[in-house]
Amino acid sequence: MATINIDELYRAAETSRLNAFQTAQQESLDRLQGNLRDIGETHRSSVTQAQTAARISALGQEEKLAAAGLSGGNAYAAPTSGYTESSRVAADNTLRSNLNTLSVERLKAEQEARNTSASEISQATQDYQNGLASIQLQKAQAKISQYNEDRNYDYNVKKTAYEQAMERWKTYGVVLPADASILGVKAGTPTASSAYDNARLALDRWKATL
């Protein structure tokens, strides 16, 4: 009777599950690294834009003040009045506030990306563990099924051999040497004996219990 190597079959299934888990984990980590790079690039671009906007605003303000005679006309020179000093301080504060906001947004985005990756990996881990548990259950059920099939096969083989030996015993009137081990009776034992009746009864009982 051909049998299936259950252990080998389910080892392959477990390996497949592990490979799928490792692939999902690596893909999540790769996405995380890509997201962090994008967040960093977006942050740097936003910082540059904020600094550029601040400089443009400062130049524009300088031109207004110069027109009012409140500045030396040089955005990078020392202020020539308290008004221009206040204006420059306000602009610097606005820039710092904008940069701080951008930094907070970057940190928040990075944390969200890490949380998403952690959640993905956690789900992949749970799926992997559930998959292994399912495989182990299927493996146990398959082994029980195979055991029952082997048991039934052995039973049918032995029953057939016993029945054929009994038939030869009846036909030839004595137990043949080749059938002695099958019947558990000495070769030459005649049919007209209690041994034959006992063997027949044993066969009937065997059929009833298996």
Side-chain angles (χ1 to χ4, degrees):
M1 178 183 180
T3 59
I4 298 174
N5 189 327
I6 292 178
D7 289 329
E8 183 177 340
L9 180 65
Y10 283 93
R11 272 197 300 272
E14 290 172 0
T15 298
S16 178
R17 281 281 185 177
L18 177 59
N19 290 339
F21 164 67
Q22 291 175 334
T23 297
Q25 183 181 47
Q26 188 59 52
E27 287 177 348
S28 180
L29 292 175
D30 290 343
R31 279 194 299 273
L32 173 60
Q33 292 305 313
N35 289 336
L36 292 178
R37 283 193 300 270
D38 291 343
I39 291 169
E41 291 174 359
T42 298
H43 174 74
R44 286 190 292 273
S45 177
S46 297
V47 167
T48 299
Q49 291 176 5
Q51 291 172 334
T52 300
R55 291 181 64 182
I56 293 174
S57 177
L59 290 172
Q61 185 65 23
E62 186 67 21
E63 291 175 355
K64 292 179 182 179
L65 294 174
L70 298 175
S71 172
N74 189 338
Y76 302 102
T80 58
S81 71
Y83 184 82
T84 55
E85 172 64 17
S86 297
S87 177
R88 186 167 295 182
V89 169
D92 289 343
N93 288 340
T94 298
L95 177 59
R96 278 194 293 271
S97 177
N98 290 339
L99 294 179
N100 287 337
T101 298
L102 291 173
S103 294
V104 170
E105 290 176 349
R106 176 184 183 177
L107 292 175
K108 181 180 178 181
E110 288 178 343
Q111 188 58 52
E112 288 177 349
R114 290 190 175 93
N115 290 343
T116 297
S117 180
S119 178
E120 290 174 348
I121 293 176
S122 177
Q123 184 61 55
T125 301
Q126 186 64 48
D127 291 343
Y128 171 60
Q129 292 173 343
N130 290 341
L132 285 185
S134 177
I135 288 173
Q136 291 299 323
L137 176 60
Q138 293 175 21
K139 178 180 178 180
Q141 293 173 336
K143 283 197 169 185
I144 292 173
S145 177
Q146 185 178 59
Y147 168 78
N148 288 332
E149 289 178 2
D150 292 345
R151 180 174 178 271
N152 290 336
Y153 176 79
D154 290 342
Y155 162 73
N156 288 329
V157 170
K158 291 177 180 178
K159 181 175 74 67
T160 299
Y162 197 92
E163 287 176 334
Q164 290 174 347
M166 287 291 295
E167 189 63 28
R168 286 190 291 271
W169 190 0
K170 179 180 178 181
T171 299
Y172 293 102
V174 295
V175 174
L176 300 179
D179 292 333
S181 61
I182 297 175
L183 297 169
V185 179
K186 290 183 179 180
T189 301
T191 303
S193 68
S194 59
Y196 179 82
D197 294 333
N198 291 336
R200 173 60 64 183
L201 180 61
L203 178 60
D204 292 339
R205 288 176 177 174
W206 188 19
K207 290 179 180 179
T209 56
L210 293 178

PDB file of all heavy atoms in Angstrom, residues 147-177:
ATOM      1  N   TYR A 147      -3.537   6.467   9.832  1.00  0.00           N
ATOM      2  CA  TYR A 147      -3.499   5.317  10.735  1.00  0.00           C
ATOM      3  C   TYR A 147      -4.717   4.421  10.523  1.00  0.00           C
ATOM      4  O   TYR A 147      -4.604   3.192  10.447  1.00  0.00           O
ATOM      5  CB  TYR A 147      -3.448   5.797  12.188  1.00  0.00           C
ATOM      6  CG  TYR A 147      -3.699   4.702  13.196  1.00  0.00           C
ATOM      7  CD1 TYR A 147      -2.686   3.790  13.523  1.00  0.00           C
ATOM      8  CD2 TYR A 147      -4.955   4.552  13.792  1.00  0.00           C
ATOM      9  CE1 TYR A 147      -2.925   2.764  14.433  1.00  0.00           C
ATOM     10  CE2 TYR A 147      -5.190   3.528  14.700  1.00  0.00           C
ATOM     11  CZ  TYR A 147      -4.182   2.638  15.011  1.00  0.00           C
ATOM     12  OH  TYR A 147      -4.415   1.620  15.904  1.00  0.00           O
ATOM     13  N   ASN A 148      -5.889   5.054  10.424  1.00  0.00           N
ATOM     14  CA  ASN A 148      -7.115   4.275  10.225  1.00  0.00           C
ATOM     15  C   ASN A 148      -7.119   3.565   8.880  1.00  0.00           C
ATOM     16  O   ASN A 148      -7.561   2.407   8.772  1.00  0.00           O
ATOM     17  CB  ASN A 148      -8.337   5.198  10.326  1.00  0.00           C
ATOM     18  CG  ASN A 148      -8.598   5.664  11.748  1.00  0.00           C
ATOM     19  OD1 ASN A 148      -8.256   4.968  12.706  1.00  0.00           O
ATOM     20  ND2 ASN A 148      -9.193   6.840  11.900  1.00  0.00           N
ATOM     21  N   GLU A 149      -6.613   4.259   7.855  1.00  0.00           N
ATOM     22  CA  GLU A 149      -6.539   3.632   6.537  1.00  0.00           C
ATOM     23  C   GLU A 149      -5.576   2.452   6.554  1.00  0.00           C
ATOM     24  O   GLU A 149      -5.880   1.377   5.989  1.00  0.00           O
ATOM     25  CB  GLU A 149      -6.087   4.658   5.499  1.00  0.00           C
ATOM     26  CG  GLU A 149      -7.138   5.717   5.180  1.00  0.00           C
ATOM     27  CD  GLU A 149      -6.640   6.734   4.185  1.00  0.00           C
ATOM     28  OE1 GLU A 149      -5.484   6.591   3.707  1.00  0.00           O
ATOM     29  OE2 GLU A 149      -7.386   7.682   3.876  1.00  0.00           O
ATOM     30  N   ASP A 150      -4.410   2.630   7.186  1.00  0.00           N
ATOM     31  CA  ASP A 150      -3.438   1.531   7.280  1.00  0.00           C
ATOM     32  C   ASP A 150      -4.008   0.371   8.077  1.00  0.00           C
ATOM     33  O   ASP A 150      -3.800  -0.809   7.727  1.00  0.00           O
ATOM     34  CB  ASP A 150      -2.147   2.032   7.945  1.00  0.00           C
ATOM     35  CG  ASP A 150      -1.387   3.018   7.071  1.00  0.00           C
ATOM     36  OD1 ASP A 150      -1.695   3.097   5.865  1.00  0.00           O
ATOM     37  OD2 ASP A 150      -0.505   3.726   7.595  1.00  0.00           O
ATOM     38  N   ARG A 151      -4.721   0.703   9.153  1.00  0.00           N
ATOM     39  CA  ARG A 151      -5.315  -0.329  10.001  1.00  0.00           C
ATOM     40  C   ARG A 151      -6.346  -1.132   9.214  1.00  0.00           C
ATOM     41  O   ARG A 151      -6.378  -2.377   9.290  1.00  0.00           O
ATOM     42  CB  ARG A 151      -5.964   0.329  11.217  1.00  0.00           C
ATOM     43  CG  ARG A 151      -6.633  -0.629  12.197  1.00  0.00           C
ATOM     44  CD  ARG A 151      -7.103   0.150  13.430  1.00  0.00           C
ATOM     45  NE  ARG A 151      -7.791  -0.703  14.365  1.00  0.00           N
ATOM     46  CZ  ARG A 151      -9.098  -0.944  14.345  1.00  0.00           C
ATOM     47  NH1 ARG A 151      -9.842  -0.387  13.390  1.00  0.00           N
ATOM     48  NH2 ARG A 151      -9.657  -1.720  15.249  1.00  0.00           N
ATOM     49  N   ASN A 152      -7.189  -0.411   8.470  1.00  0.00           N
ATOM     50  CA  ASN A 152      -8.200  -1.100   7.663  1.00  0.00           C
ATOM     51  C   ASN A 152      -7.568  -1.951   6.574  1.00  0.00           C
ATOM     52  O   ASN A 152      -8.034  -3.057   6.276  1.00  0.00           O
ATOM     53  CB  ASN A 152      -9.149  -0.073   7.032  1.00  0.00           C
ATOM     54  CG  ASN A 152     -10.046   0.596   8.051  1.00  0.00           C
ATOM     55  OD1 ASN A 152     -10.305   0.033   9.120  1.00  0.00           O
ATOM     56  ND2 ASN A 152     -10.515   1.792   7.745  1.00  0.00           N
ATOM     57  N   TYR A 153      -6.502  -1.428   5.983  1.00  0.00           N
ATOM     58  CA  TYR A 153      -5.807  -2.168   4.929  1.00  0.00           C
ATOM     59  C   TYR A 153      -5.197  -3.456   5.502  1.00  0.00           C
ATOM     60  O   TYR A 153      -5.361  -4.547   4.922  1.00  0.00           O
ATOM     61  CB  TYR A 153      -4.715  -1.299   4.322  1.00  0.00           C
ATOM     62  CG  TYR A 153      -3.877  -2.003   3.289  1.00  0.00           C
ATOM     63  CD1 TYR A 153      -4.326  -2.181   1.988  1.00  0.00           C
ATOM     64  CD2 TYR A 153      -2.611  -2.507   3.625  1.00  0.00           C
ATOM     65  CE1 TYR A 153      -3.558  -2.849   1.044  1.00  0.00           C
ATOM     66  CE2 TYR A 153      -1.838  -3.163   2.677  1.00  0.00           C
ATOM     67  CZ  TYR A 153      -2.304  -3.326   1.397  1.00  0.00           C
ATOM     68  OH  TYR A 153      -1.538  -3.985   0.467  1.00  0.00           O
ATOM     69  N   ASP A 154      -4.507  -3.318   6.629  1.00  0.00           N
ATOM     70  CA  ASP A 154      -3.896  -4.500   7.262  1.00  0.00           C
ATOM     71  C   ASP A 154      -4.972  -5.520   7.649  1.00  0.00           C
ATOM     72  O   ASP A 154      -4.769  -6.729   7.497  1.00  0.00           O
ATOM     73  CB  ASP A 154      -3.105  -4.084   8.504  1.00  0.00           C
ATOM     74  CG  ASP A 154      -1.847  -3.312   8.155  1.00  0.00           C
ATOM     75  OD1 ASP A 154      -1.405  -3.380   6.986  1.00  0.00           O
ATOM     76  OD2 ASP A 154      -1.308  -2.612   9.039  1.00  0.00           O
ATOM     77  N   TYR A 155      -6.070  -4.992   8.165  1.00  0.00           N
ATOM     78  CA  TYR A 155      -7.159  -5.883   8.558  1.00  0.00           C
ATOM     79  C   TYR A 155      -7.678  -6.668   7.355  1.00  0.00           C
ATOM     80  O   TYR A 155      -7.871  -7.889   7.425  1.00  0.00           O
ATOM     81  CB  TYR A 155      -8.294  -5.074   9.187  1.00  0.00           C
ATOM     82  CG  TYR A 155      -9.614  -5.813   9.225  1.00  0.00           C
ATOM     83  CD1 TYR A 155      -9.815  -6.865  10.109  1.00  0.00           C
ATOM     84  CD2 TYR A 155     -10.648  -5.462   8.356  1.00  0.00           C
ATOM     85  CE1 TYR A 155     -11.022  -7.549  10.140  1.00  0.00           C
ATOM     86  CE2 TYR A 155     -11.848  -6.141   8.373  1.00  0.00           C
ATOM     87  CZ  TYR A 155     -12.032  -7.184   9.264  1.00  0.00           C
ATOM     88  OH  TYR A 155     -13.221  -7.875   9.287  1.00  0.00           O
ATOM     89  N   ASN A 156      -7.901  -5.964   6.249  1.00  0.00           N
ATOM     90  CA  ASN A 156      -8.425  -6.632   5.052  1.00  0.00           C
ATOM     91  C   ASN A 156      -7.444  -7.659   4.502  1.00  0.00           C
ATOM     92  O   ASN A 156      -7.843  -8.741   4.062  1.00  0.00           O
ATOM     93  CB  ASN A 156      -8.739  -5.592   3.973  1.00  0.00           C
ATOM     94  CG  ASN A 156      -9.964  -4.761   4.317  1.00  0.00           C
ATOM     95  OD1 ASN A 156     -10.880  -5.251   4.970  1.00  0.00           O
ATOM     96  ND2 ASN A 156      -9.970  -3.504   3.890  1.00  0.00           N
ATOM     97  N   VAL A 157      -6.144  -7.300   4.525  1.00  0.00           N
ATOM     98  CA  VAL A 157      -5.127  -8.241   4.048  1.00  0.00           C
ATOM     99  C   VAL A 157      -5.107  -9.501   4.912  1.00  0.00           C
ATOM    100  O   VAL A 157      -5.109 -10.642   4.411  1.00  0.00           O
ATOM    101  CB  VAL A 157      -3.739  -7.579   4.031  1.00  0.00           C
ATOM    102  CG1 VAL A 157      -2.644  -8.625   3.779  1.00  0.00           C
ATOM    103  CG2 VAL A 157      -3.685  -6.497   2.957  1.00  0.00           C
ATOM    104  N   LYS A 158      -5.093  -9.317   6.235  1.00  0.00           N
ATOM    105  CA  LYS A 158      -5.024 -10.455   7.155  1.00  0.00           C
ATOM    106  C   LYS A 158      -6.305 -11.284   7.088  1.00  0.00           C
ATOM    107  O   LYS A 158      -6.266 -12.526   7.123  1.00  0.00           O
ATOM    108  CB  LYS A 158      -4.792  -9.957   8.576  1.00  0.00           C
ATOM    109  CG  LYS A 158      -3.408  -9.357   8.791  1.00  0.00           C
ATOM    110  CD  LYS A 158      -3.253  -8.810  10.204  1.00  0.00           C
ATOM    111  CE  LYS A 158      -1.872  -8.205  10.404  1.00  0.00           C
ATOM    112  NZ  LYS A 158      -1.716  -7.616  11.761  1.00  0.00           N
ATOM    113  N   LYS A 159      -7.449 -10.573   7.003  1.00  0.00           N
ATOM    114  CA  LYS A 159      -8.725 -11.287   6.937  1.00  0.00           C
ATOM    115  C   LYS A 159      -8.809 -12.138   5.673  1.00  0.00           C
ATOM    116  O   LYS A 159      -9.236 -13.298   5.709  1.00  0.00           O
ATOM    117  CB  LYS A 159      -9.887 -10.289   6.973  1.00  0.00           C
ATOM    118  CG  LYS A 159     -11.263 -10.945   6.922  1.00  0.00           C
ATOM    119  CD  LYS A 159     -12.352  -9.910   7.076  1.00  0.00           C
ATOM    120  CE  LYS A 159     -12.501  -9.099   5.806  1.00  0.00           C
ATOM    121  NZ  LYS A 159     -13.022  -9.885   4.667  1.00  0.00           N
ATOM    122  N   THR A 160      -8.378 -11.557   4.561  1.00  0.00           N
ATOM    123  CA  THR A 160      -8.408 -12.283   3.292  1.00  0.00           C
ATOM    124  C   THR A 160      -7.501 -13.504   3.341  1.00  0.00           C
ATOM    125  O   THR A 160      -7.883 -14.608   2.904  1.00  0.00           O
ATOM    126  CB  THR A 160      -7.986 -11.358   2.130  1.00  0.00           C
ATOM    127  OG1 THR A 160      -8.894 -10.263   2.045  1.00  0.00           O
ATOM    128  CG2 THR A 160      -7.973 -12.126   0.810  1.00  0.00           C
ATOM    129  N   ALA A 161      -6.286 -13.303   3.886  1.00  0.00           N
ATOM    130  CA  ALA A 161      -5.333 -14.417   3.991  1.00  0.00           C
ATOM    131  C   ALA A 161      -5.889 -15.523   4.885  1.00  0.00           C
ATOM    132  O   ALA A 161      -5.765 -16.730   4.577  1.00  0.00           O
ATOM    133  CB  ALA A 161      -3.993 -13.916   4.532  1.00  0.00           C
ATOM    134  N   TYR A 162      -6.521 -15.122   5.987  1.00  0.00           N
ATOM    135  CA  TYR A 162      -7.074 -16.092   6.927  1.00  0.00           C
ATOM    136  C   TYR A 162      -8.236 -16.858   6.289  1.00  0.00           C
ATOM    137  O   TYR A 162      -8.335 -18.096   6.408  1.00  0.00           O
ATOM    138  CB  TYR A 162      -7.545 -15.357   8.189  1.00  0.00           C
ATOM    139  CG  TYR A 162      -7.754 -16.245   9.388  1.00  0.00           C
ATOM    140  CD1 TYR A 162      -6.725 -16.466  10.300  1.00  0.00           C
ATOM    141  CD2 TYR A 162      -8.987 -16.876   9.613  1.00  0.00           C
ATOM    142  CE1 TYR A 162      -6.917 -17.274  11.412  1.00  0.00           C
ATOM    143  CE2 TYR A 162      -9.183 -17.690  10.720  1.00  0.00           C
ATOM    144  CZ  TYR A 162      -8.140 -17.888  11.617  1.00  0.00           C
ATOM    145  OH  TYR A 162      -8.329 -18.701  12.712  1.00  0.00           O
ATOM    146  N   GLU A 163      -9.099 -16.121   5.601  1.00  0.00           N
ATOM    147  CA  GLU A 163     -10.242 -16.758   4.965  1.00  0.00           C
ATOM    148  C   GLU A 163      -9.791 -17.742   3.888  1.00  0.00           C
ATOM    149  O   GLU A 163     -10.344 -18.851   3.760  1.00  0.00           O
ATOM    150  CB  GLU A 163     -11.153 -15.693   4.346  1.00  0.00           C
ATOM    151  CG  GLU A 163     -11.940 -14.899   5.371  1.00  0.00           C
ATOM    152  CD  GLU A 163     -12.753 -13.783   4.740  1.00  0.00           C
ATOM    153  OE1 GLU A 163     -12.360 -13.305   3.653  1.00  0.00           O
ATOM    154  OE2 GLU A 163     -13.782 -13.397   5.313  1.00  0.00           O
ATOM    155  N   GLN A 164      -8.760 -17.359   3.117  1.00  0.00           N
ATOM    156  CA  GLN A 164      -8.256 -18.254   2.074  1.00  0.00           C
ATOM    157  C   GLN A 164      -7.603 -19.495   2.681  1.00  0.00           C
ATOM    158  O   GLN A 164      -7.749 -20.619   2.147  1.00  0.00           O
ATOM    159  CB  GLN A 164      -7.255 -17.491   1.201  1.00  0.00           C
ATOM    160  CG  GLN A 164      -7.910 -16.422   0.334  1.00  0.00           C
ATOM    161  CD  GLN A 164      -6.898 -15.588  -0.424  1.00  0.00           C
ATOM    162  OE1 GLN A 164      -5.698 -15.627  -0.132  1.00  0.00           O
ATOM    163  NE2 GLN A 164      -7.387 -14.826  -1.413  1.00  0.00           N
ATOM    164  N   ALA A 165      -6.896 -19.289   3.810  1.00  0.00           N
ATOM    165  CA  ALA A 165      -6.272 -20.443   4.484  1.00  0.00           C
ATOM    166  C   ALA A 165      -7.348 -21.381   5.028  1.00  0.00           C
ATOM    167  O   ALA A 165      -7.210 -22.618   4.961  1.00  0.00           O
ATOM    168  CB  ALA A 165      -5.368 -19.952   5.611  1.00  0.00           C
ATOM    169  N   MET A 166      -8.411 -20.793   5.576  1.00  0.00           N
ATOM    170  CA  MET A 166      -9.516 -21.615   6.074  1.00  0.00           C
ATOM    171  C   MET A 166     -10.167 -22.406   4.925  1.00  0.00           C
ATOM    172  O   MET A 166     -10.537 -23.579   5.093  1.00  0.00           O
ATOM    173  CB  MET A 166     -10.569 -20.713   6.739  1.00  0.00           C
ATOM    174  CG  MET A 166     -10.157 -20.162   8.084  1.00  0.00           C
ATOM    175  SD  MET A 166     -10.071 -21.432   9.374  1.00  0.00           S
ATOM    176  CE  MET A 166     -11.778 -21.930   9.508  1.00  0.00           C
ATOM    177  N   GLU A 167     -10.311 -21.745   3.789  1.00  0.00           N
ATOM    178  CA  GLU A 167     -10.913 -22.418   2.644  1.00  0.00           C
ATOM    179  C   GLU A 167     -10.036 -23.584   2.176  1.00  0.00           C
ATOM    180  O   GLU A 167     -10.541 -24.665   1.820  1.00  0.00           O
ATOM    181  CB  GLU A 167     -11.116 -21.413   1.501  1.00  0.00           C
ATOM    182  CG  GLU A 167     -11.921 -21.941   0.339  1.00  0.00           C
ATOM    183  CD  GLU A 167     -13.341 -22.308   0.715  1.00  0.00           C
ATOM    184  OE1 GLU A 167     -13.896 -21.705   1.661  1.00  0.00           O
ATOM    185  OE2 GLU A 167     -13.898 -23.222   0.054  1.00  0.00           O
ATOM    186  N   ARG A 168      -8.703 -23.402   2.180  1.00  0.00           N
ATOM    187  CA  ARG A 168      -7.797 -24.495   1.793  1.00  0.00           C
ATOM    188  C   ARG A 168      -7.827 -25.608   2.827  1.00  0.00           C
ATOM    189  O   ARG A 168      -7.751 -26.801   2.473  1.00  0.00           O
ATOM    190  CB  ARG A 168      -6.375 -23.943   1.622  1.00  0.00           C
ATOM    191  CG  ARG A 168      -6.182 -23.116   0.366  1.00  0.00           C
ATOM    192  CD  ARG A 168      -4.705 -22.804   0.137  1.00  0.00           C
ATOM    193  NE  ARG A 168      -4.159 -21.878   1.135  1.00  0.00           N
ATOM    194  CZ  ARG A 168      -4.161 -20.559   1.033  1.00  0.00           C
ATOM    195  NH1 ARG A 168      -4.713 -19.978  -0.043  1.00  0.00           N
ATOM    196  NH2 ARG A 168      -3.631 -19.805   1.973  1.00  0.00           N
ATOM    197  N   TRP A 169      -7.954 -25.226   4.081  1.00  0.00           N
ATOM    198  CA  TRP A 169      -8.046 -26.231   5.151  1.00  0.00           C
ATOM    199  C   TRP A 169      -9.277 -27.112   4.920  1.00  0.00           C
ATOM    200  O   TRP A 169      -9.229 -28.329   5.035  1.00  0.00           O
ATOM    201  CB  TRP A 169      -8.127 -25.514   6.494  1.00  0.00           C
ATOM    202  CG  TRP A 169      -7.997 -26.406   7.709  1.00  0.00           C
ATOM    203  CD1 TRP A 169      -7.825 -27.758   7.730  1.00  0.00           C
ATOM    204  CD2 TRP A 169      -8.065 -25.982   9.060  1.00  0.00           C
ATOM    205  NE1 TRP A 169      -7.742 -28.231   9.004  1.00  0.00           N
ATOM    206  CE2 TRP A 169      -7.893 -27.143   9.867  1.00  0.00           C
ATOM    207  CE3 TRP A 169      -8.227 -24.767   9.694  1.00  0.00           C
ATOM    208  CZ2 TRP A 169      -7.897 -27.093  11.272  1.00  0.00           C
ATOM    209  CZ3 TRP A 169      -8.228 -24.726  11.086  1.00  0.00           C
ATOM    210  CH2 TRP A 169      -8.069 -25.871  11.868  1.00  0.00           C
ATOM    211  N   LYS A 170     -10.399 -26.455   4.574  1.00  0.00           N
ATOM    212  CA  LYS A 170     -11.646 -27.171   4.320  1.00  0.00           C
ATOM    213  C   LYS A 170     -11.523 -28.037   3.063  1.00  0.00           C
ATOM    214  O   LYS A 170     -11.998 -29.191   3.029  1.00  0.00           O
ATOM    215  CB  LYS A 170     -12.784 -26.164   4.150  1.00  0.00           C
ATOM    216  CG  LYS A 170     -14.129 -26.796   3.856  1.00  0.00           C
ATOM    217  CD  LYS A 170     -15.199 -25.724   3.707  1.00  0.00           C
ATOM    218  CE  LYS A 170     -16.544 -26.338   3.372  1.00  0.00           C
ATOM    219  NZ  LYS A 170     -17.607 -25.301   3.197  1.00  0.00           N
ATOM    220  N   THR A 171     -10.879 -27.470   2.017  1.00  0.00           N
ATOM    221  CA  THR A 171     -10.765 -28.185   0.747  1.00  0.00           C
ATOM    222  C   THR A 171      -9.864 -29.413   0.867  1.00  0.00           C
ATOM    223  O   THR A 171     -10.203 -30.507   0.377  1.00  0.00           O
ATOM    224  CB  THR A 171     -10.214 -27.247  -0.340  1.00  0.00           C
ATOM    225  OG1 THR A 171     -11.119 -26.142  -0.510  1.00  0.00           O
ATOM    226  CG2 THR A 171     -10.060 -27.985  -1.662  1.00  0.00           C
ATOM    227  N   TYR A 172      -8.686 -29.250   1.515  1.00  0.00           N
ATOM    228  CA  TYR A 172      -7.713 -30.347   1.598  1.00  0.00           C
ATOM    229  C   TYR A 172      -7.913 -31.222   2.827  1.00  0.00           C
ATOM    230  O   TYR A 172      -7.324 -32.302   2.921  1.00  0.00           O
ATOM    231  CB  TYR A 172      -6.292 -29.790   1.593  1.00  0.00           C
ATOM    232  CG  TYR A 172      -5.914 -29.154   0.275  1.00  0.00           C
ATOM    233  CD1 TYR A 172      -5.916 -27.767   0.109  1.00  0.00           C
ATOM    234  CD2 TYR A 172      -5.573 -29.942  -0.824  1.00  0.00           C
ATOM    235  CE1 TYR A 172      -5.596 -27.184  -1.102  1.00  0.00           C
ATOM    236  CE2 TYR A 172      -5.246 -29.358  -2.047  1.00  0.00           C
ATOM    237  CZ  TYR A 172      -5.258 -27.979  -2.180  1.00  0.00           C
ATOM    238  OH  TYR A 172      -4.946 -27.414  -3.382  1.00  0.00           O
ATOM    239  N   GLY A 173      -8.721 -30.794   3.742  1.00  0.00           N
ATOM    240  CA  GLY A 173      -9.009 -31.620   4.916  1.00  0.00           C
ATOM    241  C   GLY A 173      -7.971 -31.496   6.002  1.00  0.00           C
ATOM    242  O   GLY A 173      -8.177 -31.992   7.119  1.00  0.00           O
ATOM    243  N   VAL A 174      -6.833 -30.859   5.706  1.00  0.00           N
ATOM    244  CA  VAL A 174      -5.777 -30.662   6.709  1.00  0.00           C
ATOM    245  C   VAL A 174      -5.162 -29.275   6.505  1.00  0.00           C
ATOM    246  O   VAL A 174      -5.281 -28.673   5.437  1.00  0.00           O
ATOM    247  CB  VAL A 174      -4.666 -31.730   6.601  1.00  0.00           C
ATOM    248  CG1 VAL A 174      -5.206 -33.114   6.939  1.00  0.00           C
ATOM    249  CG2 VAL A 174      -4.041 -31.701   5.208  1.00  0.00           C
ATOM    250  N   VAL A 175      -4.473 -28.819   7.550  1.00  0.00           N
ATOM    251  CA  VAL A 175      -3.790 -27.527   7.459  1.00  0.00           C
ATOM    252  C   VAL A 175      -2.508 -27.711   6.652  1.00  0.00           C
ATOM    253  O   VAL A 175      -1.678 -28.563   6.976  1.00  0.00           O
ATOM    254  CB  VAL A 175      -3.455 -26.972   8.849  1.00  0.00           C
ATOM    255  CG1 VAL A 175      -2.614 -25.699   8.732  1.00  0.00           C
ATOM    256  CG2 VAL A 175      -4.735 -26.708   9.635  1.00  0.00           C
ATOM    257  N   LEU A 176      -2.360 -26.910   5.608  1.00  0.00           N
ATOM    258  CA  LEU A 176      -1.148 -26.968   4.801  1.00  0.00           C
ATOM    259  C   LEU A 176      -0.007 -26.274   5.547  1.00  0.00           C
ATOM    260  O   LEU A 176      -0.231 -25.344   6.335  1.00  0.00           O
ATOM    261  CB  LEU A 176      -1.382 -26.282   3.449  1.00  0.00           C
ATOM    262  CG  LEU A 176      -2.504 -26.872   2.578  1.00  0.00           C
ATOM    263  CD1 LEU A 176      -2.630 -26.061   1.292  1.00  0.00           C
ATOM    264  CD2 LEU A 176      -2.220 -28.339   2.272  1.00  0.00           C
ATOM    265  N   PRO A 177       1.228 -26.698   5.301  1.00  0.00           N
ATOM    266  CA  PRO A 177       2.372 -26.088   6.004  1.00  0.00           C
ATOM    267  C   PRO A 177       2.437 -24.573   5.819  1.00  0.00           C
ATOM    268  O   PRO A 177       2.771 -23.841   6.765  1.00  0.00           O
ATOM    269  CB  PRO A 177       3.575 -26.782   5.359  1.00  0.00           C
ATOM    270  CG  PRO A 177       3.035 -28.117   4.945  1.00  0.00           C
ATOM    271  CD  PRO A 177       1.638 -27.865   4.483  1.00  0.00           C
TER     272      PRO A 177
END
